[in-house]
Amino acid sequence: MKKIIIYLLAITFISGCSSSRKLMQSGNYDAAIRKSVRKLTKRKKDKEILVLEQAYQKANERDLEQINFLKKEGNPDNWNNQYTIYANINRRQNSVRPLLPLFITSEGRNAIFEIKNYDEELIETKEKAAEYFYARAFSLLDKNTKLDARKAFADLQAVKNYYPNYKDVDAQLKKALNMGTSYVIFKMKNNTGVPLPPSFQDELIKISLSELNNNWLVYHVNERSDINYDYTILVNMK
């Protein structure tokens, strides 16, 4: 175990020490950009500026090509992916913007960083993604199964991440949670032939049933009339 931990730490250390150029050459453009930005914040060097310029260009080219592909594919599920990519491009631009202009002394020119306003694209893809997830959640809830309700809950969570107050998303989340939850009633039956102290059941139940609860599975000790239980656990005391 110690050897594994040491090995993992060594990998982390080596990757942390990778130069921005090596990161760029391996296709890890954003990591290269982050590293170059950190270095250039402290000291301006031509070689680091050139790495940043190239990594920035390659990262944007890759992302914009991916967006074009998603648009051509025309799958409504792609709105979320498009928004994520646009947001990543925007973050990349914002990380470089404070450093500009960057002058490359050895080449006698300013480094080229294309900065565009993607606000319209971000707003459009965000709205379309929220609409898509909201509509799909309703379709899943109409199927009236626990599994589909759980899928709908995930879609509604995605909507809420985009817009916290989107339509009636909170009410629909509550509905999906109720529909998707399985309820279990925990009962005890005394077949020992001897009376047990009143506190015995309480002590036995302290096996912390509440710790077994999760979003989709809830245990009850006291039966409630307003709930249709999916499972019963019967502890038969012999």
Side-chain angles (χ1 to χ4, degrees), residues 150 177 181-182 209-219:
R150 295 171 188 180
L177 183 62
T181 298
S182 293
L209 286 178
S210 61
E211 292 182 5
L212 299 176
N213 292 341
N214 58 48
N215 275 351
W216 306 117
L217 191 61
V218 175
Y219 293 83

Side-chain angles (χ1 to χ4, degrees), residues 170-222:
D170 287 327
Q172 296 304 325
L173 275 167
K174 186 176 180 180
K175 179 181 178 181
L177 183 62
N178 289 335
M179 287 178 61
T181 298
S182 293
Y183 291 93
V184 182
I185 183 67
F186 183 88
K187 296 181 178 180
M188 287 181 55
K189 189 173 183 180
N190 182 8
N191 283 323
T192 63
V194 295
L196 296 171
S199 61
F200 182 83
Q201 179 171 336
D202 293 336
E203 291 299 321
L204 184 61
I205 289 170
K206 284 182 181 176
I207 59 175
S208 300
L209 286 178
S210 61
E211 292 182 5
L212 299 176
N213 292 341
N214 58 48
N215 275 351
W216 306 117
L217 191 61
V218 175
Y219 293 83
H220 285 171
V221 175
N222 299 312

Side-chain angles (χ1 to χ4, degrees), residues 132-190:
Y132 169 74
F133 283 126
Y134 186 79
R136 190 170 73 172
F138 263 80
S139 177
L140 289 166
L141 288 173
D142 284 342
K143 295 181 180 181
N144 200 28
T145 70
K146 290 189 183 298
L147 183 59
D148 287 315
R150 295 171 188 180
K151 293 177 181 177
F153 185 86
D155 281 352
L156 291 165
Q157 284 280 31
V159 173
K160 194 170 177 65
N161 287 337
Y162 284 123
Y163 300 103
N165 300 313
Y166 190 87
K167 296 183 180 180
D168 59 344
V169 66
D170 287 327
Q172 296 304 325
L173 275 167
K174 186 176 180 180
K175 179 181 178 181
L177 183 62
N178 289 335
M179 287 178 61
T181 298
S182 293
Y183 291 93
V184 182
I185 183 67
F186 183 88
K187 296 181 178 180
M188 287 181 55
K189 189 173 183 180
N190 182 8

Side-chain angles (χ1 to χ4, degrees), residues 79-136:
W79 288 114
N80 177 60
N81 294 332
Q82 289 184 49
Y83 173 79
T84 301
I85 297 171
Y86 277 124
N88 193 41
I89 294 173
N90 208 42
R91 281 192 297 272
R92 189 180 300 133
Q93 291 187 160
N94 290 336
S95 71
V96 170
R97 199 192 308 266
L99 298 173
L100 302 181
L102 286 170
F103 187 74
I104 306 171
T105 305
S106 59
E107 297 186 8
R109 65 176 178 89
N110 282 329
I112 300 171
F113 295 95
E114 185 177 11
I115 305 290
K116 291 183 64 177
N117 188 325
Y118 288 102
D119 287 352
E120 289 186 9
E121 289 84 352
L122 283 166
I123 292 170
E124 180 191 14
T125 53
K126 184 178 181 180
E127 288 177 347
K128 294 289 187 182
E131 288 173 9
Y132 169 74
F133 283 126
Y134 186 79
R136 190 170 73 172

Side-chain angles (χ1 to χ4, degrees), residues 15 28 41 60 111 137 142 196 235:
S15 61
N28 200 346
T41 302
N60 281 350
D142 284 342
L196 296 171
V235 177

